[in-house]
Amino acid sequence: MLASSAPPSLLFLPLLLLLPPPSLPADVVTSDPSVRWVEIEGAPLAHLLLDWDSGVLYVGGVDHLYQLTSDLEVVSHVRTGPHLDSPDCLPPIVAQDCPSATQTHNHNKLLLLEAGQGAESGSLIICGSLYQGICDKRSLSNISQLIYQTSNPVDTQYVAANDPRVSTVAVVITTENKQEGGGAGGILRLMLVGRGYTSKGPGDIPPITTRRLYPVVPPRRAFSQEEELGKLVVGSYSEYNNHFVKAITHDKHAYFLFSRRDMWHKKEYRTYASRLCVSDRSFYSYVEVPLLCRGGYNLAQGAWLGNHSGEPALFVVMAAGQASTPVATSRSALCVYKMADLDAMLRRAQEVCYTEGGRGSSGQEEAYIEYAVSSKCLKLPKVSLTDYPCGGEHTPNPIASAVPLPATPTYTSDTQLTAVTTATEAGHTIAFLGDRTGKLHKVLVRSDSSGDRYGSVSVDATAISADLLLDQEQEHVYVLTSSRLSKVPVSSCERQTDCQSCLTIRDPYCGWCVLEGRCSRKHECQRHTEPNHWLWSFEPTNQCVTVQSLQPANQSRDEPTQVTLSVVQLPTLTEAEPLSCVFDRLPPQPAIITGSSITCQSPQPELLPPMPAGSDHMILSVALKFKHVTITTGNMTFYDCGAVSRLNQSSQCLSCVDSVWRCNWCPLDQLCTHNHSCPNQHIIFNQRVRTAVCPSVCPSVHLSDSPGPASCPLVYALQSSALVPMGLSTTVVLQGRNLDVYTVRNASFGLKSVHFHCVSLCFACVMSDFIGLYSCLSPPVQLYDCSAGQSDCSQCRAVPEEYGCVWCPGSPAPSCVYNQSCSSAPADTCPPPQITQVLPVSGPLEGGVLVTITGSNLGMRYQDVVGGVTVAGVQCEPQPEGYQISTRVVCELQPSGKQRKGPVLVSVGNSLPGRSTQDFTYQDPQLLDLVPDKGPVSGGTRLTIRGRQLLTGQTTDLRAFLGRQPCYMSEVNDTQLVCQTGSSNHTGDVMIRVFFGKAERIVPDVAFRYLDDPVITDATPSEIKYPGTVQVPETVVPVGCITSVTVSCGVPQGQDLTRAMTRQEVRARLGDQECEVKTLDNTHLYCEPPETQPMSEDDGNELPALKVLMGNLEVDLGLVQYDSDSLLSPVPLAAQIGLGAGAAVIILSVLVIILMYRRKSKQALRDYKKVLLQLETLEINVGDQCRKEFTDLMTEMMDLSSDVGGPGLPLLDYRTYAERVFFPGQQVAPLSRQLDLPDSRRQTVEQGLQQLNNLLNNRLFLTRFIHTLEAQQGFSQRDRGYVASLLTMALHDKLEYFTEVMKTLLQDLVQQYVAKNPKLMLRRTETVVEKMLTNWMSICLYSFLKDVAGEPLYMLYRAIKYQVDKGPVDVVTGKAKRTLNDSHLLREDIDYSSMTLTVLVKNGVEVQPCPVKVLDTDTITQVKDKILDQVYRGAPFSQRPSADSLDLEWRSGQAGHLTLSDDDVTAVVQGRWKRLNTLQHYKVPDGATVALIPLIDGNVVAIETPMLEGEEEEGLRLWHLVKSSEDPEIPKHRKSSMRERERAKAIPEIYLTRLLSMKGTLQKFVDDVFVAILSTKRPPPIAVRFFFDFLDDMAEKHGIDDPETVHIWKTNSLPLRFWVNILKNPQFVLDVQVTDSIDAVLSVIAQTFIDSCTTSEHKVGRDSPVNKLLYAREIPRYKQLVERIQSNRKLNLHVHIICLSVFFCFCFLQSFASEMNSLVALHELYKYINKYYDQIIMSLEEDSSGQKMQLAYRLQQVAALVENKVTDL
C-alpha cells in the first residue's frame, strides 16, 4: 500500500510540471502534481462513500473494504472474501450440499451510510455479491467492528445482485412509523434498492424493493423484504432487466435512474428516471419518464443531483449504444435536466393516466401502464392528482410517460464518460466528468446549459468509477479508479504567480486580485465587489492591468523628465490610497493619477545604473505599485548619445545622426549629444529631430545644408597609388566630402575642396585625431619590402614592374631593393646559374624518370630554361609543374641509347651555363632471379628479386607487378629488392615485371606461381616453453616446411611464458614418485602428491625434493615435509605417561581444531584450482565452436567495419548525449524545453534569471547555495542530481569556473570523509558535487568517445546483437540461448532452424529483393525487427520506422498474400495458455517471399519487450518458447536426482558451455573496448590527468599514504562513475536500441569492468556466480591496464590548468551548436530557491563575506523580478 503526492508515472516528470502551463487548449491534458493518491487492494474498486459529518472515506472493492481519512490515510482494512459460494446455492453454503461451490470473490455492490437516531450511532451498510447479495452493518468509526451480520439469511434478506456484472443501487429514506404503533414521532428507516435481473439464484426479486433498516424487532429482520413495505411488481423479470445507475432523494421523493429496452414502443434501449414518494410504502406513486439526450446518447453511465443556476438539476452522463444493444460506445455526452422540469413531466404523466385515460388533448398517447401488470390508465376526477399526489389503491400504477424529457448535450466526448459530480463557485456551475481512460474533465456549465471544457487532469490509466465526490470544503474531488483513490484539487489558483498566467488558465474558480497581487478564488479577494479589483479568469474580455503607452518611451539618461503612463483596467482607489512608480530597483517616486493616466518623475541621471558594456541604451522596467504590490509594469528606454559614438569609432558622425535615438553631432567638438546646440556652433542634426527643433534653433546655430548622414565629413577614396614601399617617405592623396566644416577651426590646414595630403604613412584606414576624421579605404594601402623573399637576382627581377624592385649590386652585399633606394646602377643581367644538388644521380637508358635540379639563378620564369638543360650530354625536358623561380628545375630524362656518365648543365639566356658537381649515370638494371617462386593466392608472401644496378632512379620510381597484381616494395639496394605479394583471384603462373620509371625489366625464364591457400586443421602444441627470448611466429611458413598434410617449423624461444604448455605436457616429481598435475594456469601449478611421503633421490637429504619438468626445463622448488606422525621421532612411553590424562584431552581437542582448519583451507584451495581446471577444460572443449562462431561473426562484421569510420557510426549529437547523461530517464529534459512564460512577464523574468546567472558566477554564493540545499531534510537524492545537472547547464559556457567550484566542493567532501572513512568517498552519487563530477567527466570525455571509444563500443554492440539474434530469444521471458548472463539464459533445448527470407524492398519506384536471415521460432515482431535491421543497416535507430507501424505480409504467387501477426484467430490456446505465433506456426518455408507494408489492423498484438510474468490478456497467459511460471515438464522420479546432481556439481556444464561459447566469440570486441578505454599508448585525456593529479594532491594534503585509498578514489571517479554507465547504456552515446537480451550481456561486461578496477584479489570458488567465473582468467590482465593508466607520471598542475583552458574552449565551441538552454535551467534552479528561500537568505546573511557582497540583497532582487515576490527591498 502506497500513499504519495503524485502517481508513479509522474515521479519521473520534470519539476516544471509543478506549475501548469499558462494556457490550456481544448485538447490538452495535464498531469497535476498536486494530486494525492493511495494504491489499495481490491481491484476493481467499485464504490466510494464520504461521511459528510466526519470527513471519513469508505471504499469497497473485490474482497476488500477500506476506511480512510480525508488525507487518504488508511485507518482500517477488512477482508470480505473470497469465501466458498455458488450463485446456484442458497446460504449458508455447505460443500456437500452444493457441489458447484468454489472459493468465490466478493464484489462490493452497495456502500451506504445509515444515520444514527438519538443516542444510537450510525452505521455503514455493505452489501456484496456473495451469499445471494446479503448485507452487513459495520461501525462508522471502525469498520472492523461488525454491528449486524446474519449467519443464516432467509430469502427475504437477499438484497444485491449475485452477479458482479449486474448493477445494484440503493438509497436510505426515513419516514413516519405509523403502522407499527410508533405514534407521533415514530421513525421508520428503510432502504430502497434497485437491482438488475440475474439468471442464477432466486429469480423472483423485483427490480425495486423496500428493505427494513430500523427499527428491527423480532421476528423482523434487518434488510428483509416484507410484504407491507412494498415493491415494484413486474410481469416478466427477464424482459424488464433494468440497468440501474443511480438512486437519490429530493423533496420527499426518491428517484431511480436506469436504462433498459423500451418494451412498449420501438424496443430500443433508453434511459429512464422514475420517482416514488418517500412515504409511499405500496408503490402507488411510482411513475417513470424516458430521458432524451439529443444526438443519440441513450445509455446512462453516471449521474449527480446538483445545482444549476440556483435550481436543483440532474446531471447525467450518457453514452451512445451500439446498435440496438445495451453496449455503450465511446461516444458520450453530459445532459442536464432541471428537477422542476422532471417533476413536471412526471406529474403530467400521472395526471394524464389518472384523469384522461393516458391520452393528451391531441389524442396522442402520453402515459401508459408499464411492467406488464394488470392495470390501465383511467379517467378519474380532475382533482385526483391533487387529492392523491402519492397515489392510492384506486389509482393506476406503475405509470410510464410516453413523452420523453429532452435535453441538448452540454458537453460531448469521443471517450466514454463514466462519472459526474458538480460544484457551484461564485454563482457558476462546474461539472467534473470522469472517463474510461482515467481522465477528469472540468466543464463550466453556463446558464443556457451549454458547456465549455477548460481543463483535464490525467488521474490514472483505468476508468473512473461513477462514485465521484467533492470533499466537505468543496476544494477537492475524490476520484476512484480500478485500484486507486485519488484526491484532486478543483483548481490551481494559488500556483499562478502573475496576472497573465492567472487569466490565461481560464479556470472559473480563479481570478486576479489586483491590489493583493495574487490569483485567488473570488471570496478570498477582500475587495472583489469593487470594479476592476477581481478579474475573473474565465471572462474573455478581462485583461490584466496594463500600461498601454508610456510617454516619452525613449529618453536621454542625462535629462530627467515627466513620464506619463496610460493604464488600462486600473482599479478604483481612494485619495488616501496612493500609487508609486518604481524605475528598476531605484527608490519609488510618487504617482499622480488623472483618469486612466498616471504621471511620475523619471530618476535623476546620477541614480540611473551604469550603461551595459557594449550598448548605447538600457531598458528599465517601470513598475506601478500599490504599497508593496506591483500592479503592472512597463518599460522605458534610456539612451546615451556619447555611447553611440564611442561604440562606432570608425564612423562617429554617421552612427550619431543615423541613430534611432534623438542624437545630434557636433563635428568641431567631436561630440554626440542629445542637446540641440553645440559649444562651437556648428551642428549636424539627426533626421528625427531636425523638423521639430529647426524653427527655434536654426537662427542661432550653424546648420549643415541637409540633415542626417549625408552631411557628415567623410574620406572615401585613395587618389594616389595604393603601393607604398617600406622605409621611404611617400605622399598619399585622399578624396572625401563635407570636409569644409573643418576650415572654420583650422584654415591653414590646406583643405582644398575635397582633397588633402597625408605625408605620414597611411594604411587601410585614415584617422586624424585633431579633426576626428576616420575612414576606411578600398582598396587599402599595401606596404611591401622588396628584399623579403627575393634572395637572388632572378627572383628580384621576377617581381612585377609596378613594385619597382631592382637588383642592386652595391655594398655590403648585392640585394633586392626599391629602385629609389639603390645608390648604384641596378643590374641589367643576372649571374650564371648555380647548381647545388641533382636527384637522382642515375637513371635507365630508356629515360622516363624525373630529375630534380636545385640551385640559384635558375631563370626568372619557366621559359628561360626550356631547351637549356642537359644531363650527361643528353637533353632533359623541363616540366612546368615542377619549376620554381630561380631555385628549382624538374626535367624528364630522355633516352641515351647507351650507358654514359656526365654532369648536369643549365643555361639561362646568354649567360654561361651552370654545371653540377655531381655526375649523372645512365644505367641498364638487370633482373636475375627471385625467391620464393610460389605463394598463396591471399598474398602476403615476402618476395626477393635479385639483380644488378637495381638502385636506378629514385625508389619512388620503382614499381613491381606479378601479372597485373602489384607487389608492394619494402626494401631496395643495388643487388636485390624485396616486396610483398598482393592477392590474386586465381592460381597459376604469372610474370614478374619491374618498372624503373618508364623502363620495364622482367626476370628471364622465371615465373611466380599462385597456389591455393593452406588449410590448417590442427596445431600441436599450441604453445611451447623454452628458455631464451620471445619470437612471435609470423603467418609466413618457411620454405621447406610444407607438405601436403603437415607443417613442421622451428621451435619459438620464450621467456616467462607460464602458459606455454598444456597440463598434459608438464610433469612434476616429488622425490622418486610422480606428483599428478591437476591444474595449470598463468601463475599456479597444482599437483596431487602421493598419500605417503616418497623417498628422496638425493643421498644428502632425507626429505624429497619437488621438481617441475617443462620440456627440457627443470625447476627445483625445494624440499617437502609431510604432516605425518610417521615422520616424527617416537615418544618414549615414560614421557607419554608423564603428560597426564587431562593434558591429553586438551591437546587432542586443539589438534582436532587445527586439523579441521587445515583440512578446510586445503579443501578450499583445491576447490579453487579445480574450478579453474574445469573452466579451462570447458573452454578447450568449446574452442572449435568458438572459432567457428568467431569466423562467422568476423565475416558479418567486416561489412560493418567499412561503414563505421564515416557516417556509418551512429554517434549521437552532443545535445542528445548531454540530455541522456545529465537527465537519465526523463522524457522531456530541460535541454529540449523552452522557457514557458507569458509575453508580459517574459522580459522581466529573463532579466531576473540573468541576475541569478550573475549570482551563480559568484563562488561564495554558489557554494553556500549548494550546502544550504543539502542541509534541508526534504532535499532528496533525486533533487541533488537534478540540481547538479541544472547547474551544469547554466554554467556550461564557463567550464573553467565550473571546474573550480567543483574542486572547492570536492575539497569539502574530502574533509568530511577523511574524518570518517576515506575509502567510501565517491562511492555513490549522494551529493550535488558527485553528480557535478559525473557531468564534468561526461563533457570532457565526449570527444574521446567520439574519436576513440565510440567505434569499438559500437562494434561490440553490433557483435552482441548479431550473436543474440542468431539463437532463439523468448520475447515473453526475455531469455536467450546466446548470452553471457546465466539469469537470462534460455536453458531449455529449443528445436529451431535458420531460414532466409526474401524481403521485397521498395527503392524509389523499383522493388528489389533483399535476403534476411531469421529463425523459424521467431515471432512475427522479431522477424520484422530483423528485417528492419537488415534494410536500415546503416541508419540510426531513431530514423528507421517502428515495427509496430508495419505489417508483415507473406506473398506466394500472384494473389497469395497473407498478413502475419503475433496474435490472431489462429493462435494456439491450451487451457489458460496462449502461444504467440511464429514462422513455424504459419509454416513459412525457407526462401519464402515477404514484404513490410503499412499497418492495416491497428489492433494487432506486437510483443517487443519481455512481459512480466503473470501478465494476462483476456484471462489467458501468453508464452513463446517456454511457459514462464512453470517448471519444465520433468518426470517426478527424475526431479530429485537432477537436483542432487546440480548440488553436487560446482558448475552446470551444459549451460556454462553456451556462456563460454558466447564469451569466446565476443572476446576480441570486449578486449577492443577495454583497451580503447584503458590503453596507455595514447596520453589520457587532459581532464582525466588533471583530476587524478587533483586527487593525489588531496591525499598528500590530508596525509593519506595508503595507495589503495587513492586507487579507490580514482576508480570511483572515472571507471565506475562514467565508463560503467556508458558500457551498460550505449544508447547514451549511440543512436541504437538496447533490448533486454542485449542489456543482460552488457551487464556482465560492465561487471567485469568493475571487477577489473578493484584492488582486492579476484578469487573464484565453488559458490562464485557464473558471471564472475566467465572472465576469471581475463580480469588480472585488465587489472594491469587499470593500474598502468592510474600510475601515469604526475604532470605539473599549472600545465594542466593551461591545457584545460584550451580544452574547455574547444568543448564550449564544440557544444555551442547544441544550444544549451541556460534560461530554462536557471528557471528550474529558481524553483529550488523559492522552495528554500528563507533558509538560503539566512545562510547568506550569516556569512560575513556574503554580507559585504550583499548576496542576500541581490537574491531578493532576483525574487522580485522572477515572481514578484514581496521582499524587504
Side-chain angles (χ1 to χ4, degrees), residues 789-807:
Q790 326 304 329
S791 59
D792 60 29
C793 177
S794 295
Q795 288 179 324
C796 184
R797 296 188 64 196
V799 175
E801 292 182 4
E802 57 264 28
Y803 286 89
C805 295
V806 297
W807 183 255

Short mmCIF file of all heavy atoms in Angstrom, two decimals, residues 789-807:
data_model
loop_
_atom_site.label_atom_id
_atom_site.label_comp_id
_atom_site.label_asym_id
_atom_site.label_seq_id
_atom_site.Cartn_x
_atom_site.Cartn_y
_atom_site.Cartn_z
N GLY A 789 62.01 37.73 -49.23
CA GLY A 789 61.76 36.58 -50.08
C GLY A 789 62.47 36.60 -51.41
O GLY A 789 62.39 35.65 -52.18
N GLN A 790 63.20 37.64 -51.75
CA GLN A 790 63.90 37.74 -53.03
C GLN A 790 65.40 37.62 -52.73
O GLN A 790 66.08 38.62 -52.52
CB GLN A 790 63.58 39.05 -53.74
CG GLN A 790 62.18 39.61 -53.55
CD GLN A 790 61.07 38.65 -53.93
OE1 GLN A 790 61.26 37.83 -54.84
NE2 GLN A 790 59.96 38.72 -53.24
N SER A 791 65.89 36.41 -52.70
CA SER A 791 67.26 36.18 -52.22
C SER A 791 68.31 36.25 -53.33
O SER A 791 69.50 36.31 -53.04
CB SER A 791 67.35 34.82 -51.52
OG SER A 791 66.98 33.80 -52.43
N ASP A 792 67.89 36.20 -54.60
CA ASP A 792 68.88 36.29 -55.66
C ASP A 792 68.35 37.19 -56.77
O ASP A 792 67.21 37.66 -56.73
CB ASP A 792 69.28 34.91 -56.19
CG ASP A 792 68.09 34.15 -56.75
OD1 ASP A 792 67.15 34.78 -57.24
OD2 ASP A 792 68.10 32.89 -56.68
N CYS A 793 69.18 37.39 -57.76
CA CYS A 793 68.86 38.33 -58.83
C CYS A 793 67.64 37.90 -59.61
O CYS A 793 66.78 38.71 -59.94
CB CYS A 793 70.09 38.46 -59.75
SG CYS A 793 69.82 39.55 -61.18
N SER A 794 67.54 36.62 -59.95
CA SER A 794 66.42 36.16 -60.78
C SER A 794 65.11 36.35 -60.04
O SER A 794 64.11 36.76 -60.64
CB SER A 794 66.61 34.69 -61.14
OG SER A 794 67.76 34.53 -61.94
N GLN A 795 65.09 36.05 -58.75
CA GLN A 795 63.85 36.23 -58.00
C GLN A 795 63.48 37.71 -57.93
O GLN A 795 62.31 38.09 -58.03
CB GLN A 795 64.01 35.68 -56.58
CG GLN A 795 64.04 34.16 -56.52
CD GLN A 795 64.23 33.65 -55.11
OE1 GLN A 795 64.95 34.26 -54.33
NE2 GLN A 795 63.59 32.54 -54.80
N CYS A 796 64.48 38.57 -57.77
CA CYS A 796 64.21 40.01 -57.68
C CYS A 796 63.64 40.54 -58.98
O CYS A 796 62.66 41.28 -58.99
CB CYS A 796 65.50 40.73 -57.29
SG CYS A 796 65.28 42.52 -57.04
N ARG A 797 64.25 40.17 -60.07
CA ARG A 797 63.82 40.70 -61.36
C ARG A 797 62.49 40.10 -61.81
O ARG A 797 61.84 40.62 -62.72
CB ARG A 797 64.90 40.45 -62.42
CG ARG A 797 66.21 41.18 -62.12
CD ARG A 797 67.16 41.06 -63.28
NE ARG A 797 66.62 41.73 -64.46
CZ ARG A 797 67.09 41.54 -65.70
NH1 ARG A 797 68.09 40.70 -65.89
NH2 ARG A 797 66.54 42.14 -66.72
N ALA A 798 62.06 39.02 -61.15
CA ALA A 798 60.77 38.41 -61.48
C ALA A 798 59.60 39.14 -60.83
O ALA A 798 58.45 38.86 -61.13
CB ALA A 798 60.76 36.93 -61.06
N VAL A 799 59.88 40.06 -59.89
CA VAL A 799 58.80 40.80 -59.22
C VAL A 799 58.13 41.72 -60.26
O VAL A 799 58.83 42.35 -61.06
CB VAL A 799 59.35 41.62 -58.04
CG1 VAL A 799 58.26 42.47 -57.43
CG2 VAL A 799 59.95 40.68 -57.00
N PRO A 800 56.78 41.85 -60.28
CA PRO A 800 56.10 42.73 -61.26
C PRO A 800 56.67 44.15 -61.22
O PRO A 800 57.07 44.66 -60.17
CB PRO A 800 54.64 42.69 -60.80
CG PRO A 800 54.49 41.36 -60.14
CD PRO A 800 55.79 41.10 -59.46
N GLU A 801 56.67 44.79 -62.39
CA GLU A 801 57.32 46.08 -62.54
C GLU A 801 56.71 47.16 -61.67
O GLU A 801 57.39 48.08 -61.21
CB GLU A 801 57.28 46.52 -64.02
CG GLU A 801 58.14 45.67 -64.95
CD GLU A 801 58.09 46.20 -66.37
OE1 GLU A 801 57.44 47.24 -66.58
OE2 GLU A 801 58.70 45.57 -67.25
N GLU A 802 55.38 47.10 -61.43
CA GLU A 802 54.74 48.19 -60.70
C GLU A 802 55.29 48.32 -59.27
O GLU A 802 55.07 49.35 -58.62
CB GLU A 802 53.21 48.00 -60.67
CG GLU A 802 52.75 46.67 -60.06
CD GLU A 802 52.49 45.64 -61.13
OE1 GLU A 802 53.15 45.73 -62.22
OE2 GLU A 802 51.67 44.75 -60.92
N TYR A 803 55.96 47.28 -58.78
CA TYR A 803 56.52 47.37 -57.43
C TYR A 803 57.86 48.11 -57.43
O TYR A 803 58.34 48.51 -56.37
CB TYR A 803 56.70 45.99 -56.82
CG TYR A 803 55.38 45.38 -56.40
CD1 TYR A 803 54.64 44.61 -57.28
CD2 TYR A 803 54.88 45.58 -55.12
CE1 TYR A 803 53.43 44.07 -56.92
CE2 TYR A 803 53.67 45.03 -54.74
CZ TYR A 803 52.94 44.29 -55.64
OH TYR A 803 51.74 43.75 -55.25
N GLY A 804 58.53 48.23 -58.58
CA GLY A 804 59.76 49.00 -58.68
C GLY A 804 60.95 48.36 -57.99
O GLY A 804 61.84 49.07 -57.51
N CYS A 805 60.99 47.06 -57.91
CA CYS A 805 62.09 46.35 -57.26
C CYS A 805 63.22 46.10 -58.28
O CYS A 805 62.96 45.67 -59.41
CB CYS A 805 61.62 45.03 -56.67
SG CYS A 805 60.43 45.24 -55.33
N VAL A 806 64.48 46.34 -57.84
CA VAL A 806 65.64 46.12 -58.70
C VAL A 806 66.72 45.41 -57.90
O VAL A 806 66.73 45.44 -56.67
CB VAL A 806 66.20 47.46 -59.26
CG1 VAL A 806 65.17 48.15 -60.15
CG2 VAL A 806 66.62 48.38 -58.12
N TRP A 807 67.64 44.71 -58.67
CA TRP A 807 68.77 44.03 -58.04
C TRP A 807 69.92 45.04 -57.97
O TRP A 807 70.43 45.50 -58.98
CB TRP A 807 69.15 42.80 -58.84
CG TRP A 807 70.26 42.01 -58.21
CD1 TRP A 807 71.55 41.96 -58.61
CD2 TRP A 807 70.15 41.18 -57.08
NE1 TRP A 807 72.28 41.14 -57.80
CE2 TRP A 807 71.42 40.62 -56.83
CE3 TRP A 807 69.12 40.82 -56.22
CZ2 TRP A 807 71.69 39.76 -55.79
CZ3 TRP A 807 69.36 39.95 -55.19
CH2 TRP A 807 70.64 39.42 -54.97
#
